[in-house]
């Protein structure tokens, strides 16, 4: 079995490599256009997998990387952390949240990322037509939708759900495999509405006994979680506490600046290590390797288990178009991911899901046609923007930033 990682020079890669050691791989190919970075990161990954997996090979050539692959993992960051820094700063000038996966910053990232991902996917279609594309590249929901719209064999993956599964299992005192989430929403716009252990929903008890820790995880007030009766993902903070987040972001370094420093330190450490360092935990992406290996195993071995992934709606949420991409518990087989039926979604959640899903449809159009009309329409549709003067100002900044990056 051949597995390829596009963006193999990411400092995340040693985390992923540790998980992939569990699979019976003939070849793991790490591909990245930055040869120097690839050699540093790939060197550590190779040492970690020595005698534990098949051959690890490094390449800067896309066709070489994907030809004959059984699965291709996408974890690229077009424009790097410096472009991310822009996504996290210029929206603040208009009084809007600066974030790389939602709002104006998320749209800017989508415009950079989707064309490149589709270019890669076309080479996979030609050179490995039966391969699965597993997308961990943000914004995952938008990228996955663009891939599916273009007819690619793709599943989107995020670590939010598996993080909550691990947290709830720890609080309840059971193994994660014993706990099933009632997860609903879109990528980075999701809620945990239940947590089932042996046929019993333990979430109400977890909220009652551990609301302070759950509130800390979400960075939202405990009284809000009690009132909702569900646990929102951290990303709901950008909606439920938007103005507070903007005020905080204006007074501190961006996450991109923090990650640049972390990456500098990690890349300096990697050449002398044979295993991933503790510092890597600060990089983000907790449990990513576990989620990726679980998904790979199920797609390639036809396990038929249930995992939370990004997949076509196809009627699962009746208030969304069938073509929408949702994040939901899905049955995973060799044929792909099929979302399970979910209980009716409360209006408080359904309204926001529908609003953001409409924005995502327009955002994918804007990535295909990055002109002012499409960009402004997507921004106007986003609930974190929603006003014409804001949409105009943000469109000016986004297009200027996009043109500067492209040149």
């Amino acid at each position: 079995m051949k597995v390829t990682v596009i963006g193999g020079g990411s400092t995340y890669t040693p985390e992923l490599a540790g998980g992939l050691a569990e699979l019976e791989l003939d070849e793991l190919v790490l591909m990245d256009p930055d040869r120097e970075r690839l050699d540093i990161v790939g060197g550590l990954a190779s040492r970690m997998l020595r005698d534990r997996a098949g051959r690890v090979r490094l390449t800067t050539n896309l066709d070489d990387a994907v030809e004959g692959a059984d699965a291709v993992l996408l974890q690229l960051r077009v424009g790097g952390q410096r472009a991310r820094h822009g996504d996290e700063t210029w929206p603040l000038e208009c009084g809007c949240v600066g974030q790389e996966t939602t709002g104006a910053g998320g749209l800017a990232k989508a415009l950079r990322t989707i064309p490149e991902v589709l270019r890669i996917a076309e080479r996979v279609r030609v050179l490995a037509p039966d391969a699965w594309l597993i997308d961990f590249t943000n914004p995952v929901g938008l990228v996955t939708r663009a891939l599916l719209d273009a007819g690619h064999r793709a599943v989107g993956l995020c670590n939010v759900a598996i993080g909550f599964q691990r947290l709830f299992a720890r609080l309840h005192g059971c193994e994660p495999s014993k706990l099933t989430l009632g997860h609903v929403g879109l990528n980075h716009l999701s809620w945990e509405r239940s947590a089932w252990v042996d046929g019993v929903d333990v979430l109400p008890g977890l909220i009652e006994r551990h609301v302070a820790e759950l509130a800390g995880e979400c960075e939202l007030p405990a009284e809000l979680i009690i009132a909702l009766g569900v646990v929102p993902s951290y990303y709901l903070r950008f909606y439920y506490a938007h103005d507070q987040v903007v005020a905080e972001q204006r007074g501190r370094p961006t996450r991109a600046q923090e990650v640049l420093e972390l990456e500098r330190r990690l890349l300096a450490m990697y050449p002398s290590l044979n295993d991933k360092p503790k510092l890597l935990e600060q990089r983000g992406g907790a449990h990513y390797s576990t989620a990726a290996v679980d998904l790979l195993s199920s797609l390639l071995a036809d396990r038929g288990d249930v995992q939370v992934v990004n997949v076509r709606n196809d009627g699962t949420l009746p208030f969304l178009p069938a073509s929408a991409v949702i994040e939901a518990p899905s049955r995973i087989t060799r044929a792909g991911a099929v979302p399970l039926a979910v209980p009716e979604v409360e209006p408080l959640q359904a309204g926001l899901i529908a609003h953001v899903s409409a924005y995502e449809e327009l955002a994918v159009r804007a990535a295909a046609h990055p002109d002012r009309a499409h960009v402004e329409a997507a921004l106007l549709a986003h609930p974190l923007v929603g006003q014409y003067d804001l949409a105009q100002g943000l469109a000016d900044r986004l297009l200027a930033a996009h043109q500067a990056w492209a040149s």
Side-chain angles (χ1 to χ4, degrees), residues 37-55:
R37 188 179 174 111
L38 179 64
D39 286 341
I40 293 172
V41 174
L44 173 56
S46 298
R47 293 189 295 276
M48 289 175 62
L49 295 181
R50 187 178 296 145
D51 301 326
R52 297 170 60 196
R55 181 173 65 135

Side-chain angles (χ1 to χ4, degrees), residues 87-342:
D87 299 342
E88 295 175 333
T89 51
W90 55 259
L92 296 174
E93 298 172 13
C94 297
C96 293
V97 67
Q99 216 277 329
E100 67 156 348
T101 63
T102 193
L107 179 60
K109 190 174 196 298
L111 264 59
R112 291 194 306 273
T113 304
I114 287 175
E116 179 63 14
V117 167
L118 291 178
R119 183 187 71 84
I120 292 167
E122 285 301 325
R123 297 311 298 159
V124 175
R125 198 199 307 263
V126 171
L127 297 169
D130 295 326
W132 279 104
L133 287 163
I134 297 177
D135 177 55
F136 194 67
T137 295
N138 279 320
V140 168
L142 292 174
V143 173
T144 302
R145 180 164 184 160
L147 286 166
L148 293 174
D149 287 351
H152 296 291
R153 288 163 53 87
V155 181
L157 183 63
C158 182
N159 64 336
V160 167
I162 195 172
F164 273 125
Q165 183 197 38
R166 265 52 182 173
L167 173 62
F168 292 172
R170 175 176 62 80
L171 295 176
H172 185 67
C174 69
E175 290 297 317
S177 60
K178 300 292 185 182
L179 189 145
T180 302
L181 295 174
H183 184 100
V184 71
L186 310 175
N187 179 240
H188 289 183
L189 190 89
S190 59
W191 298 260
E192 309 306 332
R193 300 192 296 166
S194 58
W196 298 93
V197 179
D198 296 329
V200 177
D201 181 9
V202 302
L203 187 60
L206 292 178
I207 292 175
E208 181 179 355
R209 296 190 304 274
H210 304 286
V211 68
E213 184 167 352
L214 295 172
E217 185 74 17
C218 305
E219 295 190 25
L220 287 166
E223 56 266 29
L224 175 61
I225 293 175
I226 293 171
L228 293 173
V230 299
V231 180
S233 78
Y234 162 83
Y235 294 90
L236 265 297
R237 187 169 189 262
F238 299 126
Y239 298 82
Y240 292 159
H242 177 272
D243 292 352
Q244 179 183 342
V245 171
V246 169
E248 292 171 356
Q249 289 181 332
R250 283 173 166 164
R252 67 187 184 201
T254 64
R255 176 61 178 163
Q257 289 173 313
E258 295 173 352
V259 172
L260 276 170
E261 175 58 21
L262 275 172
E263 289 189 333
R264 184 192 66 77
R265 295 169 61 191
L266 287 168
L267 292 170
M269 297 169 65
Y270 281 178
S272 61
L273 299 178
N274 294 315
D275 206 349
K276 61 184 181 182
K278 182 75 172 174
L279 182 64
L280 185 55
E281 295 176 8
Q282 298 180 33
R283 178 63 180 81
H287 310 298
Y288 162 40
S289 62
T290 302
V293 169
D294 284 348
L295 181 54
L296 267 173
S297 298
S298 296
L299 288 171
L300 300 178
D302 203 33
R303 294 197 310 191
D305 58 346
V306 175
Q307 300 173 36
V308 176
V309 295
N310 284 259
V311 64
R312 283 283 195 212
N313 179 44
D314 284 338
T316 306
L317 300 182
F319 53 88
L320 294 184
S323 59
V325 166
I326 62 173
E327 190 169 270
S330 304
R331 184 79 59 189
I332 313 295
T333 68
R334 190 176 289 115
V338 177
L340 304 183
V342 300

